[in-house]
Amino acid sequence: MIPGNKNNRDGLIFSLPFLIVFTLFMIYPLMYGLYISFFKYNILGSSTFIGIKNYISMFHDSKFYSSLWHTLEFVLITTPVLLALGFLMALYVNSKSPFRKAGENIFFVPYIFSMTVVSTLWAWLMQKQYGLFNHVIVSLGGKPVGWLTDPKWAMWSVCIATFWWTAGFNMILMSAGIRQISKEIYESAEMDGASYRQQVTKITIPLLMPTISLCLILQVIASFNVFGQVFVMTGGGPYGTTRVLIQYVYETGFQYFKMGYSAAMSYVLFIIILVSSLLLNKLGGKYDNQ
């Protein structure tokens, strides 16, 4: 309802364009994906109802498990690091340093680049034969590292590119949270002789926990949906060691045209993200009530 206007019809009319777009591009694909997950559906041919056989097949598919594990590996590596980097950056841009404004811009600039630009840039930097990183290593007397071709380094290389690209987003959220903390609290702590480290651990972190919990939920959701940087930098290789679940869903649906099977895997990932988000929201809710 519009404030001051008791006629619900006006509110409905103004909301109608959004509701139509939301239904067409969110609700309908969501429901249609669930529907075709119960079919043997080749996008180029007819569909046959097979019940839950796609879901049963999925749990006997070794590629599904390996892709799910690589996704979890990416989530477990990137989430804590990105939260820590975002927090440290936020502390710096809210410090008394004369370079804090420049730092804020430098930290956030990578986030405005598209995924393709960032991934191509880092793939070039990490290229084994002529990449900048290996050029420096060789000039110092070392051996070239297969950043994107060695199974030991490939996932970490994708994670490093992700750190550089997205840490600035968490910095913005946490920086806004820090600026909401009253300066009087810090001034009182200083008068009582609290050191900077004590102020951070006893004041900043406890009062920033609602923002940190929000960043945690957003970061987990974003990390579970990783695809672009992996696809561009490694293509899922070497030997499938960086193939994540979204990539396997893409390959199954749009390369092998198994749309029903692909939809079933998408729904499993959707449920994993939904449950994770609800649990984290439940855990983070206690900080909102403090």
Side-chain angles (χ1 to χ4, degrees), residues 57-67 248:
S57 300
M58 184 192 333
F59 292 111
H60 293 85
D61 184 352
S62 59
K63 275 191 177 179
F64 169 76
Y65 285 113
S66 66
S67 302
Y248 189 40

Side-chain angles (χ1 to χ4, degrees):
M1 180 183 297
I2 300 173
N5 185 349
K6 296 182 179 180
N7 190 344
N8 289 332
R9 185 192 63 180
D10 294 344
L12 182 61
I13 290 173
F14 278 111
S15 303
L16 199 56
F18 167 77
L19 292 175
I20 292 173
V21 172
F22 185 76
T23 302
L24 284 177
F25 294 101
M26 291 295 292
I27 302 299
Y28 173 71
L30 197 63
M31 294 297 104
Y32 188 67
L34 179 62
Y35 172 74
I36 65 173
S37 71
F38 297 107
F39 285 80
K40 183 180 181 182
Y41 177 38
N42 184 329
I43 195 171
L44 301 176
S46 59
S47 59
T48 305
F49 180 75
I50 57 172
I52 61 171
K53 285 187 178 179
N54 279 329
Y55 292 92
I56 294 173
S57 300
M58 184 192 333
F59 292 111
H60 293 85
D61 184 352
S62 59
K63 275 191 177 179
F64 169 76
Y65 285 113
S66 66
S67 302
L68 180 60
W69 163 244
H70 296 149
T71 305
L72 289 173
E73 185 182 11
F74 183 84
V75 172
L76 293 174
I77 292 173
T78 57
T79 300
V81 175
L82 283 169
L83 289 179
L85 286 174
F87 179 68
L88 293 174
M89 290 175 178
L91 283 181
Y92 179 75
V93 301
N94 284 281
S95 69
K96 297 177 181 177
S97 169
F99 305 109
R100 61 185 184 280
K101 289 295 182 184
E104 188 172 24
N105 293 324
I106 292 170
F107 295 150
F108 187 70
V109 161
Y111 191 70
I112 68 176
F113 296 138
S114 72
M115 173 275 301
T116 306
V117 171
V118 171
S119 302
T120 304
L121 172 65
W122 279 88
W124 176 78
L125 291 172
M126 294 176 170
Q127 213 283 333
K128 187 173 183 180
Q129 300 301 324
Y130 52 82
L132 181 62
F133 291 170
N134 277 344
H135 179 75
V136 173
I137 291 173
V138 171
S139 66
L140 295 174
K143 295 182 179 179
V145 177
W147 298 101
L148 304 175
T149 55
D150 188 333
K152 293 186 299 183
W153 286 101
M155 181 59 81
W156 281 100
S157 299
V158 174
C159 292
I160 289 170
T162 306
F163 297 153
W164 181 80
W165 182 30
T166 62
F169 177 74
N170 289 334
M171 175 204 71
I172 291 296
L173 293 181
M174 292 189 190
S175 180
I178 290 175
R179 288 168 187 171
Q180 294 298 315
I181 300 173
S182 173
K183 291 183 179 178
E184 284 76 12
I185 298 176
Y186 291 107
E187 291 171 356
S188 299
E190 284 182 358
M191 291 177 64
D192 291 337
S195 64
Y196 179 73
R197 183 179 64 82
Q198 289 173 322
Q199 292 178 37
V200 170
T201 55
K202 303 295 184 183
I203 298 174
T204 305
I205 292 178
L207 295 180
L208 197 61
M209 283 310 294
T211 305
I212 293 174
S213 66
L214 170 65
C215 290
L216 175 61
I217 294 172
L218 295 177
Q219 191 57 61
V220 167
I221 293 173
S223 295
F224 266 118
N225 285 308
V226 62
F227 170 59
Q229 56 267 52
V230 174
F231 191 71
V232 173
M233 293 180 69
T234 67
Y239 315 116
T241 52
T242 60
R243 182 192 290 110
V244 289
L245 192 52
I246 293 286
Q247 182 179 352
Y248 189 40
V249 168
Y250 166 77
E251 291 173 352
T252 305
F254 295 99
Q255 293 184 0
Y256 304 114
F257 303 114
K258 298 179 180 178
M259 301 303 289
Y261 189 50
S262 176
M265 288 192 291
S266 300
Y267 256 86
V268 169
L269 179 60
F270 170 72
I271 292 170
I272 291 173
I273 294 174
L274 180 64
V275 172
S276 303
S277 302
L278 292 175
L279 287 175
L280 291 173
N281 187 52
K282 183 71 176 178
L283 292 173
K286 63 182 181 181
Y287 298 112
D288 296 334
N289 298 326
Q290 289 178 355

